[in-house]
């Protein structure tokens, strides 16, 4: 017997609880433990409400929030690909696309199409909302890196060139937030010796 619509949605709501078990590589502000995917998504969603005025272009804030809450759900099946894992990044797109198809297909068809569309929009990064979402997806970890005194950067032996490459598209969503991050999150950690400045090489 086919599930009724409400049961299908409730089952999906229970399924996405698994996002809370996906560990990221960024420490929380106290530097004591790593954040998980759901914490990351919640944090960015609230930040979108607070920082949308700094987007390069006017954005539909509800759509930005929706994109931020939906886009990492695929990691329930695909796992988190570490930002500096060059080998993992080679298969990331393929793994996450398969995960998106598998995950969102468990919703009623109209909601499946809507959620998959939000994920696709984030991946393409061609709309003001998706570009701003990408900026926040980069800005939030930089903020936590600085708040935790660059612990993950220091322990991972990260270089400035790696961080700049990771954030190469951030200014497309918000030049103001990217400049703020450079001056207030990145440079202080270089000065403190927690991020290696290899720009002179």
């Amino acid at each position: 017997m086919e599930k009724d619509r409400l049961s299908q949605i409730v089952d999906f709501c229970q399924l996405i609880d698994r996002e809370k078990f996906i560990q990221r590589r960024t420490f929380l502000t106290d530097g004591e433990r790593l954040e998980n995917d759901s914490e990351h998504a919640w944090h960015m969603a609230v930040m979108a409400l607070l920082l949308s005025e700094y987007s390069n272009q006017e954005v539909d804030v509800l759509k930005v929030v929706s994109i931020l809450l939906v886009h990492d759900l695929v990691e329930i099946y695909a796992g988190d690909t570490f930002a500096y894992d060059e080998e993992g990044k080679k298969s990331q797109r393929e793994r996450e696309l398969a995960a998106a198809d598998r995950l969102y297909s468990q919703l009623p068809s109209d909601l499946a199409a809507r959620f998959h569309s939000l994920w696709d929009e984030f991946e393409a990064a061609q709309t003001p909302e998706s570009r701003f979402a990408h900026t926040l997806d980069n800005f939030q970890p930089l903020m936590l890196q600085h708040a935790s005194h660059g612990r993950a950067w220091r322990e991972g032996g990260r270089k400035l060139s790696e961080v700049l490459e990771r954030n190469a598209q951030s200014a497309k969503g918000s030049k103001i937030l990217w400049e703020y991050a450079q001056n207030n999150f990145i440079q202080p950690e270089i000065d403190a010796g927690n991020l290696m400045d290899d720009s002179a090489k």
Side-chain angles (χ1 to χ4, degrees):
M1 179 179 173
E2 188 174 335
K3 288 182 184 177
D4 65 71
R5 180 181 177 86
L6 179 56
S7 294
Q8 198 173 355
I9 295 171
V10 171
D11 285 351
F12 186 84
C13 291
Q14 180 173 311
L15 169 63
I16 63 173
D17 184 70
R18 296 184 196 176
E19 188 183 31
K20 298 172 186 174
F21 299 100
I22 307 297
Q23 192 176 71
R24 292 170 51 81
R25 303 288 189 93
T26 308
F27 285 95
L28 298 179
T29 52
D30 65 359
E32 294 299 314
R33 73 165 176 89
L34 298 169
E35 71 171 349
N36 63 51
D37 262 5
S38 64
E39 291 168 329
H40 174 62
W42 159 82
H43 205 176
M44 290 188 300
V46 177
M47 289 170 67
L49 299 177
L50 296 168
L51 296 171
S52 61
E53 65 188 272
Y54 299 106
S55 174
N56 291 342
Q57 297 172 268
E58 188 173 341
V59 293
D60 177 339
V61 179
L62 177 58
K63 191 166 193 183
V64 174
V65 169
S66 298
I67 289 170
L68 290 169
L69 290 174
V70 165
H71 85 276
D72 275 341
L73 291 177
V74 298
E75 295 183 2
I76 289 169
Y77 292 135
D80 177 56
T81 301
F82 182 40
Y84 304 109
D85 178 3
E86 296 306 318
E87 195 60 34
K89 285 193 285 189
K90 291 177 183 177
S91 63
Q92 181 178 6
R93 171 66 183 171
E94 182 182 351
R95 286 184 289 107
E96 291 189 350
L97 180 57
D101 292 343
R102 178 183 174 190
L103 180 68
Y104 301 133
S105 68
Q106 296 177 62
L107 282 165
S109 59
D110 60 320
L111 291 176
R114 179 181 170 198
F115 271 49
H116 208 305
S117 177
L118 289 168
W119 183 79
D120 290 334
E121 184 172 344
F122 179 82
E123 291 297 302
Q126 295 300 309
T127 63
E129 288 79 13
S130 60
R131 285 193 289 266
F132 188 59
H134 271 280
T135 297
L136 292 178
D137 197 30
N138 291 334
F139 187 86
Q140 187 262 2
L142 294 175
M143 181 178 69
L144 294 188
Q145 286 286 3
H146 176 56
S148 60
H149 306 290
R151 178 178 172 183
W153 281 343
R154 184 175 63 253
E155 292 180 356
R158 296 273 77 84
K159 301 174 183 177
L160 175 61
S161 59
E162 294 176 296
V163 173
L164 293 180
E165 181 180 353
R166 169 69 177 167
N167 290 273
Q169 306 302 314
S170 288
K172 290 185 178 181
S174 174
K175 292 178 182 177
I176 292 173
L177 292 184
W178 172 232
E179 289 173 5
Y180 187 94
Q182 287 178 292
N183 295 329
N184 295 277
F185 302 152
I186 297 173
Q187 190 59 50
E189 296 314 311
I190 293 172
D191 296 341
N194 296 320
L195 179 65
M196 292 186 284
D197 186 354
D198 57 345
S199 60
K201 293 183 180 179

